[in-house]
Amino acid sequence: MSCQQLKSSANSSRSLASAVGVAIATMSVGHMAQAAESTEDKAVALGATTITGEQTDTAYKADDSASKKYTAPLRETPKSVTVIPQQVIRDTGATSLADALRTTPGITFGAGEGGNPAADRPIIRGFNAESDVFIDGMRDIAAQSREIFNIESVEVSKGPGSAFTGAGSTGGSLNLITKGAHLGDAYNGGYTFGSDQTQRYTLDINQQMTDTSAFRLNLMKHEANVAGRDAVDVSRWGVAPSFAFGLGTDTRVRVDYYHLDTNDMPDYGIPLTNSGTARSKYNVDKPASVSKDNFYGLTDRDYRKSTNDSGTIRIEHDLNDSLTVSNSFRMSRSTLDYIVTNPDDSRGNVANGTVSRSAKSRNSTSSGFVNQTDLSARFNSGFIEHSLVTGLEFSYQDTHNRNYNVLNASGGAMASTCSSALLASGDCTSLYNPTPGDAWNGTITDSQAFTDTDTKTSAAYVFDTLKFDEQWSLNLGLRYDHYDVESSGYATAGRTTSAGTFSRQKTSGLLNYQVGLVFKPLPNGSVYAAWSTSSNPAGETSGNGGLEIAANNADLEPEKNRSYEVGTKWDFFNDDLSLTAALFRTEKTNARINDPDNATVQVLDGEQRVDGLEFTYAGNITRKWKVYGGYTYMESELVKTTLAADQGNHMPSTPRNSFNLWSTYDVMPKLTLGAGATFVDSRFGNEANSVEVPSYWRYDAMATYRLTKNVDLQLNVQNLTDKRYFDQVFQTHYAHVAAGRTALMGVNFHF
């Protein structure tokens, strides 16, 4: 079957499923509208673009983590942990994980060449965290763009954290807390429409079935063009049912399923000016000076389709009042199929006013499972109070990747020097006036090359908070991972390699720990000092990103990282407002770098360092006034690397300054106004510091009006000034353009 036939078939099935989702959501919205006036007040205002069945919690401040591994309240946890609550997600009008993360300083985003043109590639405190995303405490390794329709909150843990998470987590990790069935009935939904043909339907139903069981269903359908980008659009739908049994009893069971289907036009953005061999830290390349609308892809060739499915069962049993055993098991499968235009080919075309439409591609399938068993206990040993969690984890991940051969009309590679013939065939386009609707008559076939990556992990861990008195406590954590990764497949001939099969394997033992001492001078505040470590083995992205096991690193031991952090956390205004501050240093002491004497292999001879200061705030200043955000300063340095000229340079995608503020005020009982500001400093795209994107300010605004007890309207205007800015940069080719001004009006129902 041809690639076009496959695309057509996939489109048909997606269209059918999407239609069903829209129909369900539309009928539900109509039902809720009829019932709105007669329903008692069971909820507060709902945000414009998302819904939740637990409307009573509108706080911006979180006191505890949902993770069992944090054995103390957040105020007494010696680590920087930021919780993005549901109310912030609703108020800011976020519709994706990337949107939600923009409310938190110290996080930037990497460009999509790590295996997915639009994947979540967060960079936390200067280090890649693409494989450090967890769902309810279990690793979610697949390369994907995550939705938030089924997310209750997002927990951002900063600093090396392999004691908590296993492999990776050099700069931090993300834990997404999903919506689950609960006691009590709640029926919520919304319809959002807006600029750039945006339409979003959401439905959240929670139904108590018996005194101890409940069912919850979340549905979402989203269609939109991307503001400020020609011919770029997104389309997705999702469904997430949840069953819970034994609620309020000693034995509790929760069963969840999640499905997300996407069909987008991928967009790599605007090419760099590409000064070629003259590029250096003294002659820095920046995005080309062209209209921010310019899209260099081909609408009849480029596409990105993905699916994500997972099923989870959690069992929890209270042995007594102070001892609980739990088990969580998840199976997942994801697919990714795309062809995306890379708007520069390093052939000198950009300097001549043209762009070659070379292509990146992938057709991959990832599947696997995770199983965690935890024992939580509270007990005393003499005068010391213990809050202990110990557990075992087993996981398996298999990823199959195969690219496409994308050839021009003459049967040659797409990365070519542009000519009049290639401009006429659609293989090239104008730098200043690209034409994405060009008829393209090239060919797409499956590549002979493929890669299978298998990752197996067995781990044991223990965490304990030792409370000596009301003022002093010691937080300890230890984890050991047996990490095994194997990669095999077939490679076509390259510039310096011959074609043939290959097989690589590396087994590593990862021992990591964290130690934190906490002092509470007053009941509402703490001061802490902490030391933590992490490890980065070869192939830690399990074939789904840019950190794959390869011929040049398969024999290397894991990279080792450590962090020193001192900080303080305080709650004010009757514990309604949280303020935190921290000083930190993160060091990678044996970074993988290319051997200065042999560029075909890597050695553990590099060193990287990030020194920083962080300040966050979250909660209520007054009963009507809420604030959320923070500030991060980072001074990064490549202490030692392959090229002597690069030593002392800044680390890629690590801005010195980043700032976020979101605030709302209840102007009247029925009217709430909100506004936000985001600043991100300039960032370099490579270790040579020869590619840079400029700093930017972004402003957002919101207004919510409660029509009745059960119906409200919410207006969000994102990127209020229609600022042209770049949220991602790739070291050699392009910078991704963020969405322009977007206006969203939501009509929401809740009863």
Side-chain angles (χ1 to χ4, degrees), residues 560-733:
K560 297 186 180 298
N561 319 281
R562 61 193 180 202
S563 177
Y564 315 93
E565 182 170 313
V566 294
T568 185
K569 302 181 180 183
W570 292 85
D571 290 341
F572 297 100
F573 306 138
N574 295 319
D575 291 346
D576 285 340
L577 179 68
S578 170
L579 300 179
T580 75
L583 289 169
F584 61 88
R585 164 172 284 188
T586 302
E587 298 175 327
K588 187 182 288 290
T589 55
N590 63 338
R592 288 188 290 269
I593 61 173
N594 290 332
D595 189 336
D597 300 319
N598 183 4
T600 62
V601 298
Q602 291 186 328
V603 292
L604 296 174
D605 199 33
E607 186 174 349
Q608 302 165 2
R609 182 172 66 228
V610 179
D611 294 325
L613 163 69
E614 187 169 85
F615 175 72
T616 69
Y617 42 86
N620 284 52
I621 295 178
T622 69
R623 183 174 60 87
K624 297 181 178 182
W625 185 11
K626 296 176 181 177
V627 294
Y628 187 90
Y631 167 77
T632 299
Y633 174 82
M634 293 184 290
E635 189 64 45
S636 64
E637 182 180 355
L638 296 169
V639 180
K640 187 178 182 182
T641 188
T642 301
L643 299 177
D646 294 344
Q647 293 183 182
N649 286 354
H650 296 280
M651 292 167 54
S653 298
T654 309
R656 274 198 173 97
N657 299 280
S658 57
F659 167 80
N660 303 81
L661 169 64
W662 177 260
S663 181
T664 64
Y665 191 84
D666 296 335
V667 179
M668 297 186 295
K670 290 189 174 184
L671 178 64
T672 299
L673 299 180
T678 300
F679 174 77
V680 179
D681 224 335
S682 59
R683 295 92 69 211
F684 293 108
N686 59 354
E687 292 190 353
N689 289 182
S690 61
V691 170
E692 184 181 23
V693 292
S695 62
Y696 68 86
W697 279 96
R698 164 176 158 160
Y699 303 98
D700 304 290
M702 179 273 281
T704 297
Y705 187 78
R706 288 166 281 280
L707 292 175
T708 71
K709 296 176 180 180
N710 306 101
V711 182
D712 60 75
L713 303 176
Q714 181 168 316
L715 173 67
N716 283 89
V717 183
Q718 300 166 343
N719 194 2
L720 190 65
T721 62
D722 201 26
K723 174 71 175 179
R724 175 187 186 260
Y725 71 94
F726 303 94
D727 55 359
Q728 304 167 27
V729 57
F730 186 68
Q731 60 180 341
T732 53
H733 299 302

Side-chain angles (χ1 to χ4, degrees), residues 18-37:
S18 299
V20 172
V22 172
I24 294 172
T26 302
M27 289 186 291
S28 301
V29 167
H31 172 74
M32 289 184 287
Q34 293 176 0
E37 291 296 335

Side-chain angles (χ1 to χ4, degrees), residues 7-121:
K7 290 169 62 177
S8 176
S9 177
N11 279 332
S12 298
S13 58
R14 285 174 169 81
S15 297
L16 178 60
S18 299
V20 172
V22 172
I24 294 172
T26 302
M27 289 186 291
S28 301
V29 167
H31 172 74
M32 289 184 287
Q34 293 176 0
E37 291 296 335
S38 61
T39 305
E40 297 179 357
D41 186 13
K42 298 184 180 179
V44 299
L46 187 64
T49 56
T50 190
I51 46 91
T52 178
E54 300 179 55
Q55 297 298 316
T56 56
D57 186 7
T58 62
Y60 277 16
K61 172 180 172 290
D63 296 320
D64 299 283
S65 168
S67 173
K68 295 181 176 66
K69 297 174 182 177
Y70 290 100
T71 52
L74 291 179
R75 190 171 61 196
E76 301 169 31
T77 297
K79 189 176 184 65
S80 294
V81 181
T82 301
V83 178
I84 308 173
Q86 178 63 211
Q87 189 66 41
V88 171
I89 295 173
R90 291 198 299 264
D91 286 352
T92 57
T95 60
S96 67
L97 177 61
D99 288 343
L101 292 178
R102 290 191 179 99
T103 62
T104 303
I107 301 178
T108 55
F109 298 91
E113 290 229 355
N116 192 334
D120 299 325
R121 297 193 69 198

Side-chain angles (χ1 to χ4, degrees), residues 383-541:
F383 68 92
I384 302 174
E385 297 180 13
H386 295 263
S387 297
L388 182 142
V389 173
T390 185
L392 300 171
E393 177 182 309
F394 304 94
S395 67
Y396 171 77
Q397 181 80 23
D398 171 73
T399 301
H400 177 84
N401 288 324
R402 186 186 294 271
N403 296 334
Y404 292 109
N405 291 320
V406 184
L407 305 177
N408 60 34
S410 302
M414 291 297 300
S416 306
T417 301
C418 290
S419 63
S420 56
L422 292 178
L423 287 166
S425 65
D427 297 303
C428 289
T429 191
S430 167
L431 172 66
Y432 300 101
N433 187 30
T435 48
D438 284 345
W440 183 74
N441 53 4
T443 59
I444 301 171
T445 58
D446 289 337
S447 172
Q448 290 183 309
F450 71 92
T451 302
D452 281 315
T453 305
D454 294 326
T455 306
K456 303 172 186 175
T457 301
S458 303
Y461 49 83
V462 60
F463 302 93
D464 193 9
T465 294
L466 293 78
K467 188 174 181 180
F468 303 107
D469 54 34
E470 291 302 316
Q471 290 187 305
W472 290 95
S473 62
L474 181 66
N475 189 280
L476 302 174
L478 181 68
R479 176 173 173 134
Y480 176 79
D481 290 77
H482 181 271
Y483 189 89
D484 182 86
V485 58
E486 182 178 0
S487 177
S488 60
Y490 178 82
T492 54
R495 296 176 182 173
T496 59
T497 60
S498 57
T501 59
F502 63 88
S503 180
R504 311 174 187 111
Q505 184 174 9
K506 180 63 179 178
T507 300
S508 305
L510 313 177
L511 181 65
N512 289 283
Y513 59 90
Q514 63 92 27
V515 179
L517 183 65
V518 181
F519 173 66
K520 294 177 62 180
L522 294 170
N524 65 317
S526 68
V527 180
Y528 68 88
W531 186 13
S532 58
T533 68
S534 67
S535 304
N536 299 103
E540 67 178 88
T541 57

Side-chain angles (χ1 to χ4, degrees), residues 338-340 359-363 402-406:
Y338 72 83
I339 296 174
V340 57
K360 301 288 185 180
S361 65
R362 175 172 292 195
N363 190 346
R402 186 186 294 271
N403 296 334
Y404 292 109
N405 291 320
V406 184

